Amino acid sequence: MSKILHKTGILLVAFGSATPTGQQTLALFDAKVRALFPHIPIRWAFTSERMRDRLTAARKKTDSVKKALCRMIFEKYSHIAVQSLHLIPGMEYEALYADIINAQRESGFAHIEVGMPLMASSLDVTPTARALLAHIPKERQPEDAVICMAHGTKHDAATGYDALAAEVLAVDPRIFIGTLEGSRSINHILPLLQGKDIRRAWLLPLLAVIGKHAETDMAGETPRSWRSQIEAYNIQCIPVLKGTAEYTGFINIWLTHLADAIKKVEEKK
Ligand code: CO
């Protein structure tokens, strides 16, 4: 292929959001990517079919990963760097990877590279822990607990949560990492809060965008929410409804991974 036909694009991938706040978070991330790579066009894809249906109903443009890549290949993008807002390389990341391999094979000409999730390897654990520690609200007192909710999975990549939990716990024994699904559930966290005279807990979502999991499962009023279950132990909860994609510390890690993917894909020119 001659040099003149090279066309590089970025595809950003998120679960998707149908709320104005969630969309604002994604727009903020989009702006950061645009500022860093002003010469490369950016597209978005959403992995949640439910979110895509809701966005379509609201007359908002929405693509799956498959559809977005297909569209880019049709528009003759020859070099595509994909970056998702995943925390760990779990099932969703594997599905994304499979879509990329398929699109690459079907196109016959496109080079596609995918950037790593926030914590793809042990090398990412320390920067992620640092980002987390930096974003704990200033009002938090040393005796307050900080309880973070990540999504969780039965996938082997869940060991990433354990590594992160160990790293932050070594710095501050009152910071706990739990997950909604998988083995680090709230039932695993609650006993750890006992006997420490904890009166107040800050609840932080380790989720890219604020949605149902943060609003309902973490901070909601139902008896099943983390908030209610923690408050049952006489610990006052202060939920912080901000997604990881809203904090520069986390954003910068994803941007580094995207820069790696762009570099890799451009080496194929
Ligand atoms: Co979920």
Side-chain angles (χ1 to χ4, degrees), residues 74-90:
F74 179 77
E75 290 170 33
K76 299 275 181 286
Y77 279 91
S78 57
H79 294 72
I80 304 169
V82 182
Q83 182 62 51
S84 70
L85 290 176
H86 289 124
L87 180 74
I88 54 156

Side-chain angles (χ1 to χ4, degrees), residues 135-174:
H135 297 311
I136 289 172
K138 300 280 169 283
E139 298 79 16
R140 182 242 175 176
Q141 299 299 311
E143 62 273 18
D144 295 345
V146 175
I147 301 165
C148 306
M149 177 198 262
H151 194 281
T153 177
K154 287 190 174 70
H155 191 280
D156 289 344
T159 53
Y161 299 125
D162 301 332
L164 179 66
E167 184 121 356
V168 292
L169 200 69
V171 176
D172 185 328
R174 291 187 175 220

Side-chain angles (χ1 to χ4, degrees), residues 1-145:
M1 188 184 283
S2 81
K3 203 117 196 144
I4 206 134
L5 289 174
H6 286 145
K7 193 170 166 187
T8 303
I10 292 172
L11 177 64
L12 299 175
V13 179
F15 178 78
S17 175
T19 67
T21 344
Q23 284 162 14
Q24 214 178 313
T25 304
L26 299 179
L28 188 90
F29 188 76
D30 185 273
K32 296 258 184 187
V33 174
R34 224 167 271 277
L36 201 58
F37 308 102
H39 56 293
I40 310 180
I42 301 167
R43 302 289 168 82
W44 277 89
F46 297 134
T47 56
S48 161
E49 198 177 343
R50 195 167 46 86
M51 282 303 165
R52 291 200 306 272
D53 288 345
R54 284 176 65 181
L55 289 164
T56 309
R59 294 172 189 278
K60 292 212 161 88
K61 203 180 127 289
T62 152
D63 278 340
S64 64
V65 172
K66 229 183 238 176
K67 205 165 152 192
L69 284 174
C70 195
R71 215 189 274 277
M72 290 178 87
I73 287 163
F74 179 77
E75 290 170 33
K76 299 275 181 286
Y77 279 91
S78 57
H79 294 72
I80 304 169
V82 182
Q83 182 62 51
S84 70
L85 290 176
H86 289 124
L87 180 74
I88 54 156
M91 280 179 290
E92 282 186 30
Y93 187 77
E94 276 179 3
L96 165 69
Y97 200 79
D99 280 342
I100 290 168
I101 298 294
N102 276 334
Q104 188 155 30
R105 200 176 33 221
E106 279 168 28
S107 91
F109 69 87
H111 296 284
I112 311 174
E113 285 291 341
V114 57
M116 292 293 161
L118 202 60
M119 288 199 304
S121 75
S122 52
L123 290 177
D124 295 320
V125 175
T126 304
T128 305
R130 233 177 252 148
L132 174 65
L133 294 166
H135 297 311
I136 289 172
K138 300 280 169 283
E139 298 79 16
R140 182 242 175 176
Q141 299 299 311
E143 62 273 18
D144 295 345

Side-chain angles (χ1 to χ4, degrees), residues 144-251:
D144 295 345
V146 175
I147 301 165
C148 306
M149 177 198 262
H151 194 281
T153 177
K154 287 190 174 70
H155 191 280
D156 289 344
T159 53
Y161 299 125
D162 301 332
L164 179 66
E167 184 121 356
V168 292
L169 200 69
V171 176
D172 185 328
R174 291 187 175 220
I175 306 179
F176 306 93
I177 311 284
T179 56
L180 198 53
E181 290 169 20
S183 59
R184 304 189 70 89
S185 72
I186 187 66
N187 296 324
H188 163 100
I189 306 288
L190 289 173
L192 303 175
L193 303 174
Q194 306 303 300
K196 293 191 173 77
D197 195 27
I198 293 170
R199 307 226 175 117
R200 203 160 74 152
W202 297 79
L203 304 185
L204 269 59
L206 274 183
L207 300 154
V209 174
I210 295 306
K212 205 175 145 281
H213 287 329
E215 280 171 351
T216 311
D217 302 320
M218 189 191 83
E221 308 266 327
T222 64
R224 297 296 310 144
S225 76
W226 281 26
R227 178 187 192 159
S228 302
Q229 292 189 70
I230 296 163
E231 283 180 343
Y233 285 85
N234 259 332
I235 298 171
Q236 184 208 346
C237 286
I238 309 174
V240 182
L241 290 176
K242 248 179 119 174
T244 45
E246 292 178 70
Y247 292 106
T248 34
F250 297 111
I251 292 171

